[in-house]
Amino acid sequence: MSHKVIPFISALLTVVFLFAFTVPLKASPSPAKVISSPGYFEETIQELPPPDFHPIADFTRVAERVSLQELINYMAEHGMTLYLPTQLPNGLKLTAVWLKDGPFVAMIVYDRHAETDPYLAELVIELYPTPLTAYGGRSELEKHLKEVYGDEYGKRIKTLEVNGWFVVIDEKAPCGAPRTVEKFGPYVLYVRVWIEEVEYRIVAHTLTVEEVVQLIQNMKPTEA
Amino acid sequence: MSATARCLRDYLLYLSILSLTLITFPIGATTTSSDAQAGYAFKNEEWAAPPLTAGNITVPKMEEIYEGYDCIAFMAIVLDYANYYYYVLCGYEAYGIDWNEYTWYFIAICNDAISFRRVRWGFAIDPFATYRYTVCHIYRSNDYQVLVEAGVNTLVNYRFNDLSPYIQVDHQAMVRINAPVKTGLIHFEDLTYRGYRGYAHNWYTHIKVPYPGFVIDERGDYEFYIRTD
């Protein structure tokens, strides 16, 4: 019997010994000690946020799921018309509409597999009440983009006009939601379009730039 | 096989089994880490979000904190929700440097389509006092200003330049922790917004944003207490 017990106890003692050194004891009664760092200043700049750092609550926690008709009605009450693509590539289907009414933010979610979570769906169209004039107009916005993106303007960032609407294409925008990154990776095709007084931001994980441009060409006003 | 060899084989076998058990079922929550946030989101009747948000925040002593884990209580302006997310925030950070030993900072973060920028300041002042945190889009610019004030004294006045996108779309007043961190009763009060012109107003409606592990005591549209349970 002892030839089985001795190795077991030895192994147990080894594990306990190692564990005691690596993990702090949770039941320690000592109160927290605060250390001030006067004069401390640290500035960090990096391309992507740390992967486990997400301070803001995501949109599904501040918005409500509504029907498309409710969104159309809400926008109509504010004198706005909703534009949506009349043709969708790759078998994408409308799966959910999320609305925060005041300040107005909406997300229209499309997916081939009925995914309703905007952070897991293949295509999301966001709506914000920020007309092009809020950015000082097209030329001001182009000037701003050239300034802030520098050499990447013309490569990663492109501007064009579709149906008379100003379009900004970002082929490599960072997106940091853990569930999004796990499914699609840390970058996304991010296209901004201004139609009337509304800014549409198209977040496309599985579409090409050409497919998104075609989708914008097919955007038409929806009936109230 | 000799008795010594058998003993050694069994020892290694038990060691593997016990180690695997500990890895699979960690004791307590001390080795897990997940991001959690709760608080208030702004709500108003206006079509667009105002460019300034501010609030007084009082953070008592952390009840439980570990090396490398932190707690941030902040005011934020959201710039985009879909890309999880673009925002500018300003607040208080307790950062664990050892078991139940932490240092604290004023912190400001700007995360947009261009980069993630984080600035921390350390001061030799009372960490448990009430400070006012402000985040503000600067009119006709691509820039944001963050302020930390103690009464009439401005402790931090910092500007993030050249954001993209840069127009505000929402406001939040939140506490964010790594899962094993336990906070005391954090107090948010005098939550305020302001347009480019005119006077500041208190938030007059709000959305409570709960999260498992947090208790929120709503005292009104512009005041609440929050702690971990």
Side-chain angles (χ1 to χ4, degrees), chain A residues 2-16 18-19 23-50 52-59 61-63 74-75 78 80 100-105 107 118-119 124 126 128-130 134-136 140-141 144-145 147-149 156 170 172-180 188 190 192 197-199 201 203 205, chain B residues 6-11 14-15 18-19 22 27-31 33 35 37-38 41-50 61-66 70 72 74 76-87 89 92-93 97 99-105 107 109 111-125 127-128 142 158 162-172 174-176 178 182 207-211:
Chain A
S2 66
H3 71 273
K4 290 278 181 198
V5 173
I6 289 168
F8 178 77
I9 289 173
S10 307
L12 190 63
L13 286 173
T14 310
V15 168
V16 168
L18 289 173
F19 190 74
V23 180
L25 290 176
K26 199 167 183 284
S28 168
S30 62
K33 187 178 170 192
V34 191
I35 295 165
S36 289
S37 310
Y40 180 84
F41 179 79
E42 176 207 68
E43 195 171 17
T44 308
I45 301 175
Q46 55 197 57
E47 190 185 355
L48 293 171
D52 57 348
F53 184 78
H54 306 289
I56 308 290
D58 79 35
F59 191 61
R61 295 173 60 200
V62 302
Y74 176 77
M75 290 181 70
H78 290 82
M80 299 292 153
K100 184 170 187 280
D101 54 347
F104 169 61
V105 182
M107 283 191 192
Y119 298 98
V124 177
E126 293 180 275
Y128 292 110
T130 48
Y135 295 91
E140 273 297 310
L141 183 54
H144 156 72
L145 293 169
E147 274 172 15
V148 299
Y149 285 97
R156 172 184 152 188
D170 184 343
K172 202 184 168 190
C175 63
R179 55 193 199 266
T180 313
V188 67
Y190 178 56
R192 301 163 68 187
E197 297 297 300
V198 177
E199 179 179 353
R201 296 183 186 169
V203 179
H205 292 284
Chain B
R6 263 205 315 274
C7 262
L8 187 63
R9 183 200 63 191
D10 289 349
Y11 168 77
Y14 289 134
L15 190 63
L18 286 166
S19 304
L22 272 178
I27 295 170
T30 53
T31 54
S33 163
D35 217 43
Q37 60 294 106
F42 181 63
K43 180 138 169 84
N44 70 351
E45 291 167 1
E46 292 156 32
W47 175 246
K61 196 175 269 191
M62 294 290 116
E63 289 183 357
E64 208 172 302
I65 194 161
Y66 300 85
D70 68 348
I72 304 177
F74 62 87
I77 283 185
V78 182
L79 307 172
D80 190 301
Y81 269 115
N83 287 330
Y84 207 80
Y85 349 56
Y86 300 151
Y87 57 83
L89 70 76
Y92 174 107
E93 179 183 31
I97 51 175
W99 155 243
N100 258 8
E101 195 169 289
Y102 65 96
T103 189
W104 72 283
Y105 310 108
I107 186 169
I109 298 174
N111 184 46
D112 67 351
I114 299 165
S115 62
F116 173 86
R117 291 176 259 182
R118 182 181 62 203
V119 190
R120 285 164 161 161
W121 297 265
F123 282 90
I125 50 175
F128 312 120
N142 324 318
Y158 188 81
D162 293 333
L163 280 69
S164 181
Y166 61 84
I167 299 287
Q168 65 283 348
V169 300
D170 206 359
H171 301 181
Q172 293 190 2
M174 291 275 158
V175 171
R176 174 267 182 197
N178 297 116
K182 299 278 183 205
I207 296 169
K208 180 183 172 186
V209 186
Y211 196 86

Side-chain angles (χ1 to χ4, degrees), chain B residues 15-29:
Chain B
L15 190 63
S16 311
I17 292 167
L18 286 166
S19 304
L20 277 174
T21 310
L22 272 178
I23 290 165
T24 317
F25 304 104
I27 295 170

Side-chain angles (χ1 to χ4, degrees), chain A residues 71-83 104 129 195-198 200 221-222 224, chain B residues 47:
Chain A
L71 174 61
I72 293 167
N73 293 345
Y74 176 77
M75 290 181 70
E77 281 169 23
H78 290 82
M80 299 292 153
T81 304
L82 174 65
Y83 282 69
F104 169 61
I195 304 176
E196 295 177 353
E197 297 297 300
V198 177
Y200 294 72
T222 50
Chain B
W47 175 246

